[in-house]
Amino acid sequence: MKIPFILPFNTENVGRGRLSHIEVGKNTIKVKPAPTCLKTLVLGISLVITQGFTNTTHAANPQHLEQLKTTNACPQCDLTDADLTNANLQQADLSSANLKGAILEGANLKEANLRNAELNGAKLAGANLARTNLREAKLALRERDANNPLPSQVEPDNLYNTLSWLGYFPAFIANWYEAVVTDLRDANLQGADLYRANLNGALLTRVNLQEAQLDYASLVSTHLQEATLTNANLVSADLRNANLTDAQLEVADIRSADLRGANLNHANLDTVNGDSANLSGANLSQAYISNADFNGAVLVRTTLQRAVLNGSNFQKADLSQANLQEALLKGTGLNRANLTGVNLEGADLSNAKLAIADLTNAQLTGAILHSAYLHSATLTNANLSGVDLQQAQLREANLSNVTLVGATLEDASLIRSTLTGANLTYTNLTRCDLRGANLTGADLSYANLTQADFAQAALMGATLQGANLSDANFKGAIGFNRYAVPGQ
């Protein structure tokens, strides 16, 4: 029976409230129910459509099965739905074979040749695929009826969302999803070659992909929770919306990879190479990313809350509107980075390098920038209230209209910096070097200016009411009159 037309649905709607979504446990697959507002309306349609998802009668070719058993080779064979549980297929030649829905749980496929093989919907949980050739193999969701493919408007990797929208019960959808998903949970793929393989939507929870070749592979919406990807090659891989919670990616190569919307909560990315990677909208909260390289990477609106980024390099990276609250960025390289609108509240940027970085409208309340290097940085309209900038280097930085209420700039260098219209009330500027700085219209009320150096600085229209001017140097300052300062 042909499957009736089903309205298409975009995978980006998953988890946004209207649709159900798949939750993968250690041994179970669950579906969260969708709203019931349309279920009554489409119940009749659902009953009809259900008939379109019955299992097919297609099975493996018996002659091909016998050939595989006797020769350990069956390239281009039809092994659809074959039961090969715990089979010993080490170094077998199954290149371009059709293994859709095959049961290979616990099978030994070490060093086998599965290049360009069809493995959509195959069950490979616990299988040994170490150093297996899976180049350009297909391991995505399976279409249930090969003779009656899904309508072109419906993609296999979002059909379960459409079914939920149409009112199917979660149990039905979970059973259907379990039947079509490629299951590689707990499998060993160490050193496997998955170049340009399609793993969209596959279950790879706790899988071992250490040193695997996944360059240019497609892993959209793939489940990689607790997966081991240490030293894996993921250059230009497509990992959009993939779930990498608690995954291990130390020393992995993710250059130019697409990780938009991916979940990397608690993931370990220490020493990864992420040059030019795209992590926009990704969740990297509490991730470990020390000594990593993200030169030129895109992390727009990325969540990095409480992430550990010490010693990493984000030179020329785009972190605009990213959330880095309470993140650890000690010694991190952010030279020329785009940090406009970034949230760095309570973040530790001690000794960070931010030369020529753009921090326009950044939120830095309570951040630590002790000894940070901000030469020629732009901080226009940024909020640095309560920030620790002791011994910071802000030479020629643009701090126009910045808020530095209660901040500490003791021994900081702001030579020739621009502080026009800045709010420096109650700020500690003890021994601060402000030679040649432009403080036109700045508010320095009640600031501590003890031994600060304002030589040749511009102070036209600046407010110094209640400020502590003890031993401050105003030699050659423009627009300054000590006797006109109230309280002096």
Side-chain angles (χ1 to χ4, degrees), residues 134-207:
L134 287 153
R135 289 175 72 89
E136 301 180 282
K138 299 166 183 64
L139 296 123
L141 301 187
R142 177 191 184 187
E143 294 182 0
R144 292 302 295 148
D145 190 346
N147 297 317
N148 295 292
L150 299 177
S152 59
Q153 297 90 341
V154 179
E155 297 294 331
D157 62 352
N158 71 17
L159 183 54
Y160 61 82
N161 299 323
T162 308
L163 294 174
S164 175
W165 183 78
L166 286 169
Y168 280 98
F169 294 107
F172 170 79
I173 302 172
N175 289 337
W176 173 82
Y177 182 74
E178 190 167 10
V180 301
V181 70
T182 303
D183 190 351
L184 284 150
R185 284 177 286 185
D186 299 297
N188 181 12
L189 284 147
Q190 184 172 356
D193 188 349
L194 289 145
Y195 169 80
R196 287 195 184 277
N198 185 348
L199 292 131
N200 292 345
L203 302 184
L204 290 147
T205 310
R206 298 176 303 278
V207 71

Side-chain angles (χ1 to χ4, degrees), residues 142-441:
R142 177 191 184 187
E143 294 182 0
R144 292 302 295 148
D145 190 346
N147 297 317
N148 295 292
L150 299 177
S152 59
Q153 297 90 341
V154 179
E155 297 294 331
D157 62 352
N158 71 17
L159 183 54
Y160 61 82
N161 299 323
T162 308
L163 294 174
S164 175
W165 183 78
L166 286 169
Y168 280 98
F169 294 107
F172 170 79
I173 302 172
N175 289 337
W176 173 82
Y177 182 74
E178 190 167 10
V180 301
V181 70
T182 303
D183 190 351
L184 284 150
R185 284 177 286 185
D186 299 297
N188 181 12
L189 284 147
Q190 184 172 356
D193 188 349
L194 289 145
Y195 169 80
R196 287 195 184 277
N198 185 348
L199 292 131
N200 292 345
L203 302 184
L204 290 147
T205 310
R206 298 176 303 278
V207 71
N208 181 4
L209 283 158
Q210 186 175 352
E211 300 176 349
Q213 300 299 313
L214 287 149
D215 41 328
Y216 296 94
S218 186
L219 296 120
V220 178
S221 300
T222 300
H223 299 268
L224 284 152
Q225 299 96 312
E226 301 179 56
T228 300
L229 289 145
T230 307
N231 207 31
N233 178 5
L234 289 151
V235 173
S236 298
D238 190 347
L239 288 142
R240 284 172 296 155
N241 300 311
N243 189 341
L244 288 141
T245 305
D246 294 307
Q248 303 297 314
L249 289 122
E250 304 101 307
V251 206
D253 191 345
I254 58 171
R255 285 174 297 163
S256 302
D258 191 345
L259 286 141
R260 284 176 292 171
N263 186 353
L264 289 133
N265 183 35
H266 280 290
N268 189 339
L269 291 95
D270 285 353
T271 328
V272 301
N273 187 347
D275 284 5
S276 302
N278 191 341
L279 291 115
S280 296
N283 178 11
L284 288 126
S285 56
Q286 301 182 69
Y288 299 92
I289 319 175
S290 297
N291 302 306
D293 194 349
F294 283 94
N295 184 53
V298 181
L299 296 103
V300 178
R301 296 187 182 89
T302 301
T303 299
L304 289 148
Q305 195 168 12
R306 297 184 183 176
V308 178
L309 300 139
N310 296 332
S312 290
N313 174 33
F314 288 89
Q315 184 170 319
K316 297 181 181 179
D318 187 353
L319 288 139
S320 53
Q321 299 181 61
N323 183 356
L324 285 142
Q325 285 180 294
E326 299 180 34
L328 297 180
L329 295 131
K330 294 180 181 179
T332 299
L334 291 153
N335 294 332
R336 298 180 182 273
N338 180 2
L339 294 154
T340 55
V342 71
N343 187 345
L344 283 156
E345 286 185 41
D348 190 344
L349 289 137
S350 302
N351 296 299
K353 301 169 185 65
L354 293 140
I356 320 178
D358 189 349
L359 287 139
T360 302
N361 295 316
Q363 177 60 259
L364 289 135
T365 305
I368 300 171
L369 285 146
H370 194 290
S371 301
Y373 189 78
L374 289 140
H375 191 294
S376 301
T378 300
L379 292 121
T380 307
N381 296 314
N383 187 350
L384 292 106
S385 296
V387 169
D388 180 1
L389 281 156
Q390 291 183 69
Q391 300 177 26
Q393 172 59 256
L394 288 146
R395 190 184 183 108
E396 298 179 13
N398 185 352
L399 294 123
S400 300
N401 300 310
V402 73
T403 300
L404 281 156
V405 177
T408 301
L409 288 105
E410 193 171 340
D411 297 306
S413 174
L414 288 100
I415 297 172
R416 291 193 298 277
S417 60
T418 301
L419 288 146
T420 54
N423 186 350
L424 293 146
T425 55
Y426 298 98
T427 299
N428 183 2
L429 291 154
T430 302
R431 294 184 300 278
C432 187
D433 193 345
L434 288 145
R435 288 174 294 167
N438 186 353
L439 290 125
T440 303

